[in-house]
Amino acid sequence: MATCTSKIWKWRVPCKIKLFIWLVLQGRILTKMYRAKWRPEEPTECTFCGNEPESIEHLLFNCTTSACFWERLGEAAGFRCAFHDMEELWQLMDALLNQGEKCTQGRFRRIVIPAGLWTIWRVRNAMLFKGQMVYAENLWDDVLRLLKDWGQFLVGARVVWEPGGSFRIDA
């Protein structure tokens, strides 16, 4: 995976998102399980579901909230967007990176995964540190807003949301 992580820096997403994804792939984001190394007295249950220890894999991929979010995002984006661990995540990211820059749809698909990861992390942090109540729709609304912004500025295309939850790209 070491050669894979070097490709992240060439991705057309904001630098803080590149750094976040790099930290995810290194296993270094501060989930509750990671924080428990220094604060063992704190609870480690997942912020979303409260059922399992909050590891990176659980929070970003396997939690029922995250898994439903990825399934819905994949359907809207028009490609399989479900994974269970870092290796599956990287395989999909690597395949998207290797598609080339020629087509607008391909450039847009490259920002879907980073936007999804960043959305889950931001919403989780809002729940954990600000005490905000968050529902699955909040995740969806947040990622749609992010994709609209990134689609226009990073891909050079306008994202148009269709009835039924899918979208199209206007180049």
Side-chain angles (χ1 to χ4, degrees):
M1 195 159 11
T3 59
C4 301
T5 56
S6 64
K7 292 181 181 181
I8 291 170
W9 308 113
K10 297 176 185 169
W11 223 335
R12 297 177 99 188
V13 295
C15 288
K16 69 181 178 180
I17 309 306
K18 292 176 190 180
L19 178 60
F20 171 72
I21 292 170
W22 183 80
L23 288 170
V24 165
L25 292 171
Q26 299 299 316
R28 298 291 186 178
I29 61 170
L30 289 175
T31 61
K32 289 182 177 181
M33 287 297 294
Y34 192 77
R35 290 174 52 195
K37 293 177 184 178
W38 297 279
R39 295 181 178 207
E41 70 281 356
E42 288 188 11
T44 59
E45 292 82 21
C46 174
T47 304
F48 289 132
C49 70
N51 295 328
E52 300 283 331
E54 190 184 84
S55 65
I56 292 174
E57 279 84 7
H58 177 77
L59 175 67
L60 296 177
F61 314 124
N62 299 324
C63 174
T64 53
T65 302
S66 299
C68 290
F69 169 76
W70 286 116
E71 185 176 328
R72 186 173 179 189
L73 186 58
E75 287 173 11
F79 66 101
R80 185 184 160 276
C81 197
F83 17 77
H84 305 317
D85 58 31
M86 301 292 205
E87 193 60 39
E88 287 182 25
L89 166 70
W90 185 253
Q91 286 172 2
L92 179 56
M93 290 170 59
D94 196 40
L96 291 171
L97 281 169
N98 290 330
Q99 286 181 352
E101 287 278 325
K102 294 181 175 70
C103 120
T104 303
Q105 184 72 29
R107 287 195 311 268
F108 179 74
R109 284 183 174 174
R110 283 192 203 150
I111 65 172
V112 170
I113 306 282
L117 291 169
W118 185 243
T119 296
I120 291 170
W121 185 246
R122 276 190 0 184
V123 169
R124 175 260 191 194
N125 287 342
M127 290 176 70
L128 185 62
F129 299 116
K130 296 179 182 175
Q132 295 177 359
M133 283 303 297
V134 177
Y135 304 97
E137 282 305 309
N138 297 99
L139 278 169
W140 188 245
D141 292 343
D142 207 48
V143 79
L144 294 183
R145 200 170 23 260
L146 198 57
L147 287 171
K148 279 185 179 181
D149 292 345
W150 288 6
Q152 187 169 3
F153 297 109
L154 300 174
V155 178
R158 194 167 67 94
V159 179
V160 180
W161 299 103
E162 301 285 343
S166 63
F167 47 78
R168 74 173 196 277
I169 310 302
D170 285 346

